[in-house]
């Protein structure tokens, strides 16, 4: 259970993201008001609410199948989420301490949603957008009291993926940012702060990776199946244990520098050129574990112990995924 007592979370937008977030907060013991942001005719509203309730129940049942909750907890989860129409938004948001906007990625829809939300809540209620596209600073122009506003980018499926990228705007106060981070932690999420930059962290990196995979199919480098197998077993397996910048330090920034130069030359594509920081680190001898400093400082790190812990994670993950025998009998 959370430490907010009877705290109520408002979510405006009852699509896939809204349902996923509602599930996360319900799991953490919060009461959730889930509001359909779209105006609909009576019959359409009844159908939408029925479908939404069915989708919520399906998600809750999935939690049982995944052995995250016991089946006798389903009723508690169901009672923890209440559905409202957009016309009922003032009533729904009356007692909330935080509101998340989760409407489609259409600017007019965002503007309309924030107008309705700000008319319904007081200025001390935390407010966040779950946008994956728009800058927090642009969206803040639609918000009253922007000091309490920020972007919180949840990754799908929101009820399972632990990461939330938190992007404060130029007006966001440190106090409100800290409140949001602590709130997300009570739902067992891992908030990571990033500046107001297009694509946040994960979408920006994965866009490059996915586009490059598609290019390799186009070029006949390998089939889609072979590329995906390589990513799952090699790339994804590796970076479930090490971060990208951590891996640069692990293998050596000099290795990345030379590999990047080779790919830039052979493929005749500037996108493979090493970034300035890699070149600078090369010039200054900051290439990672080999020199004691890279993107991280290893001066006070027991490198042997650190490397052993990383390798142990590799082994544990490999065994779990069935890539390595759990025991070898001699």
């Amino acid at each position: 259970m959370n430490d907010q007592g009877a705290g109520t979370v408002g979510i405006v937008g009852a699509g896939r993201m809204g349902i996923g977030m509602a599930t996360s907060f319900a799991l953490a013991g919060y009461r959730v008001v889930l509001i359909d942001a779209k105006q609909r005719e009576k019959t359409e509203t009844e159908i939408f609410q029925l479908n939404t309730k069915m989708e919520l129940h399906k998600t809750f049942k999935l939690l049982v199948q995944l052995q995250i909750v016991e089946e006798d907890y389903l009723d508690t989860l169901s009672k923890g989420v209440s559905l409202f129409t957009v016309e009922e938004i003032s009533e729904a948001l009356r007692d909330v301490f935080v509101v998340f906007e989760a409407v489609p990625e259409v600017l007019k829809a965002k503007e309309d949603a924030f107008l309705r939300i700000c008319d319904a809540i007081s200025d001390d209620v935390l407010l966040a957008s779950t946008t994956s596209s728009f800058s927090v600073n642009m969206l803040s122009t639609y918000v009253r009291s922007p000091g309490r506003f920020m972007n919180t980018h949840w990754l799908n499926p929101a009820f399972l993926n632990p990461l939330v990228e938190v992007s404060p705007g130029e007006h966001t106060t440190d106090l409100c940012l800290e409140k949001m981070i602590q709130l997300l932690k009570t739902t067992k999420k891992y908030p990571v702060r990033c500046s107001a930059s297009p694509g946040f962290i994960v979408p920006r990196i994965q866009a490059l990776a996915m586009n490059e995979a598609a290019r390799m199919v186009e070029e006949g480098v390998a089939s889609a199946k072979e590329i995906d197998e390589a990513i799952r077993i090699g790339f994804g397996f590796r970076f479930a244990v090490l971060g990208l910048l951590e891996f640069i330090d692990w293998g050596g920034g000099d290795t990345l520098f030379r590999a990047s130069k080779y790919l830039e030359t052979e493929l005749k594509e500037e996108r493979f050129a090493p970034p300035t920081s890699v070149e600078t680190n090369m010039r200054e001898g900051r290439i990672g574990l080999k020199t004691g400093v890279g993107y991280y400082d290893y001066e006070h790190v027991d490198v042997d112990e650190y490397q052993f812990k990383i390798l142990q994670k590799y082994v544990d993950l490999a065994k779990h995924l069935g890539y390595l025998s759990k025991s070898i009998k001699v």
Side-chain angles (χ1 to χ4, degrees):
M1 294 292 289
N2 66 76
D3 59 3
Q4 297 285 342
T8 301
V9 174
I11 300 173
V12 179
R16 181 176 61 169
M17 179 58 72
I19 288 173
M21 293 167 58
T23 301
S24 291
F25 282 110
L27 273 172
Y30 291 92
R31 179 173 176 264
V32 180
V33 291
L34 182 59
I35 304 163
D36 178 16
K38 186 176 180 180
Q39 288 185 302
R40 306 175 191 273
E41 297 294 332
K42 182 180 179 181
T43 302
E44 185 186 5
T45 296
E46 292 173 351
I47 294 172
F48 182 85
Q49 290 204 327
L50 177 61
N51 288 338
T52 302
K53 288 178 181 178
M54 290 174 60
E55 192 61 34
L56 278 165
H57 184 70
K58 179 181 176 182
T59 303
F60 297 158
K61 287 287 288 184
L62 180 60
L63 295 176
V64 175
Q65 295 171 336
L66 294 173
Q67 299 183 335
I68 295 174
V69 298
E70 299 292 333
E71 188 154 8
D72 58 9
Y73 194 63
L74 287 179
D75 187 54
T76 300
L77 285 176
S78 296
K79 290 179 179 178
V81 181
S82 302
L83 296 180
F84 291 86
T85 66
V86 69
E87 290 82 9
E88 299 170 319
I89 191 168
S90 294
E91 173 193 351
L93 297 181
R94 185 175 55 227
D95 298 320
V96 301
F97 68 93
V98 61
V99 178
F100 293 90
E101 168 273 309
V103 304
E105 295 293 271
V106 177
L107 194 56
K108 185 62 168 63
K110 303 281 188 189
E111 182 179 5
D112 291 346
F114 284 124
L115 178 62
R116 292 178 182 276
I117 292 168
C118 289
D119 281 346
I121 62 175
S122 61
D123 291 351
D124 61 347
V125 173
L126 281 177
L127 181 56
S129 173
T130 61
T131 181
S132 59
S133 305
F134 299 114
S135 164
V136 59
N137 291 323
M138 181 181 67
L139 292 180
S140 70
T141 62
Y142 304 137
V143 173
R144 191 181 70 236
S145 301
R148 43 79 180 268
F149 178 68
M150 65 205 78
N151 281 352
T152 55
H153 178 237
W154 298 57
L155 276 67
N156 273 312
F159 63 96
L160 292 179
N161 198 307
L163 180 69
V164 180
E165 298 174 316
V166 181
S167 177
E170 57 187 14
H171 300 296
T172 310
T173 68
D174 291 340
L175 177 60
C176 287
L177 176 62
E178 183 59 26
K179 284 182 177 180
M180 178 61 73
I181 288 173
Q182 292 307 316
L183 167 64
L184 292 169
K185 286 181 177 179
T186 66
T187 67
K188 306 302 181 185
K189 296 299 179 184
Y190 288 81
V192 173
R193 178 176 174 173
C194 62
S195 64
S197 177
F200 302 95
I201 299 170
V202 172
R204 180 170 167 176
I205 291 172
Q206 73 181 10
L208 289 174
M210 290 189 293
N211 283 328
E212 199 61 37
R215 288 190 186 100
M216 287 193 287
V217 173
E218 294 170 5
E219 295 169 6
V221 173
S223 68
K225 182 176 184 296
E226 289 165 332
I227 290 171
D228 280 345
E229 285 181 348
I231 294 301
R232 280 195 300 268
I233 301 170
F235 189 95
F237 177 78
R238 170 184 290 165
F239 293 117
V241 175
L242 283 164
L244 286 169
L245 297 170
E246 189 179 15
F247 185 71
I248 294 174
D249 285 356
W250 179 279
D254 53 336
T255 301
L256 174 62
F257 176 81
R258 295 188 183 98
S260 299
K261 283 292 190 182
Y262 172 78
L263 289 172
E264 180 188 15
T265 300
E266 292 299 310
L267 296 175
K268 297 179 176 60
E269 294 286 355
E270 289 187 8
R271 68 179 182 271
F272 291 105
T276 301
S277 61
V278 170
E279 295 205 43
T280 300
N281 284 349
M282 272 282 293
R283 187 167 58 252
E284 297 178 355
R286 300 164 55 90
I287 59 174
L289 289 174
K290 290 183 283 189
T291 59
V293 63
Y295 284 97
Y296 293 88
D297 188 343
Y298 302 92
E299 181 181 358
H300 302 296
V301 174
D302 184 326
V303 173
D304 288 339
E305 180 182 1
Y306 161 71
Q307 289 181 313
F308 180 80
K309 287 182 177 179
I310 293 296
L311 294 174
Q312 184 64 65
K313 290 179 182 179
Y314 267 114
V315 170
D316 292 343
L317 182 58
K319 287 180 178 178
H320 175 72
L321 295 175
Y323 298 142
L324 190 66
S325 300
K326 292 187 178 181
S327 63
I328 299 177
K329 295 182 180 180
V330 179

